[in-house]
Amino acid sequence: MSRALICGSLAFDNIMVFEDEFANHILPDQIHKLNISFMVPTLSRVFGGVAGNIAYNLKMIGGQPVPMGVVGSDFDVYYQRLKSLGISLEAVMTKEGHFTPQAYITTDMKNNQITAFHPGAMNFSHENKVSQYEDIAIGIVGPDGRDGMIQHAEEFAENGIPFMFDPGQAMPLFDGEDLKTFIDQATWMAVNDYEYELVHNRTGMDAREIATHLEALVVTRGEKGSEIYADGTMYHIPVVKAEQVVDPTGCGDAYRAGLLYGLTNGLDFQTTGRIASLLGSIKIATAGTQNHYISKKDFRQRFLDEFGYAF
């Protein structure tokens, strides 16, 4: 089975829920001197980070993920969890004397999110090399240390390994020229609608133009579904109605795991997008980024029930 090298953060996510809407407490004309606190009655600490989340979802539906990241001396409990799931740990590097990355995520009643992130050991991601790992068929460069993201994209390109560029929360680290370089190096790119607008503004390229530099550009649009621009065509991927909407944190990572599964297995873009959409729908029904579960058999049945054909 083809292995996917997943470059990105392995982090502890501290998830809080604000039982109101941010918009009711932020004065638009006072943004320049914002000083605000939100009371959050619920708090949970869960395993997260894009590399960990994508690896969890990809393993669950039958892929072979190899998460690649740099962690701190407090990582042991997460290490044991990944090991128990049968996920390869060969590309996880420990940096003693540093914290594993930590995210502090607050979600309001409209599923808007405010996140603070401490990178910790992730700042040393450039010390981890793509070329150190064998039998890699596909890769993804997700949010990570700036130098690491640049280096890993270069290494994938130099070694002829097709990879997806997923800037995510690392978008503030890159200007228009940086983004153009990533787009030229990558095989595919995945962004949400807000990230797409940032890429468009910084590069001056719209979706169809970006797609001419790639095999496909994927833009997710929340409850409106997603779009895949490929072969001069825009494929609309329908959203899958969730059993319940509990927590959107990690839905993008679940979606990207679905993309990697489809691409690794040579599936067409419409089927690949539908696998991704279904996986995101399953994730949103459960609190936390790695607490949902579905067997491979049941996942295929859910796909058949939802879309009327099997993959």
Side-chain angles (χ1 to χ4, degrees), residues 38-196:
F38 298 108
M39 180 65 69
V40 287
T42 61
L43 166 66
S44 59
R45 190 170 193 248
V46 299
F47 303 111
V50 294
N53 295 342
I54 294 173
Y56 175 83
N57 284 278
L58 185 55
K59 182 71 174 182
M60 184 174 67
I61 62 172
Q64 193 170 350
V66 181
M68 175 175 161
V70 182
V71 301
S73 49
D74 56 344
F75 187 70
D76 186 63
V77 63
Y78 201 161
Y79 179 96
Q80 296 302 328
R81 170 180 168 75
L82 294 175
K83 183 179 179 181
S84 72
L85 293 170
I87 293 174
S88 169
L89 293 160
E90 67 191 88
V92 176
M93 176 185 293
T94 300
K95 204 73 177 174
E96 296 295 339
H98 294 270
F99 287 112
T100 294
Q102 317 269 333
Y104 297 84
I105 305 162
T106 304
T107 303
D108 74 359
M109 292 295 98
K110 287 289 187 179
N111 285 329
N112 297 304
Q113 292 185 323
I114 295 175
T115 300
F117 187 74
H118 171 66
M122 193 181 79
N123 283 330
F124 299 92
S125 61
H126 58 280
E127 295 183 9
N128 218 347
K129 312 290 186 184
V130 168
S131 57
Q132 291 176 259
Y133 309 108
E134 299 179 348
D135 302 321
I136 301 300
I138 192 172
I140 181 169
V141 174
D144 209 341
R146 184 182 189 278
D147 292 344
M149 292 180 71
I150 291 171
Q151 175 181 296
H152 298 153
E154 290 175 350
E155 291 176 340
F156 277 127
E158 290 170 358
N159 286 278
I161 301 172
F163 77 96
M164 182 181 300
F165 175 50
D166 170 26
Q169 299 96 324
M171 187 70 76
L173 301 178
F174 304 110
D175 61 21
E177 291 305 310
D178 293 328
L179 293 170
K180 287 180 180 179
T181 298
F182 280 120
I183 290 167
D184 285 336
Q185 292 169 328
T187 315
W188 312 278
M189 182 177 183
V191 290
N192 64 29
D193 47 2
Y194 183 75
E195 292 159 359
Y196 162 70

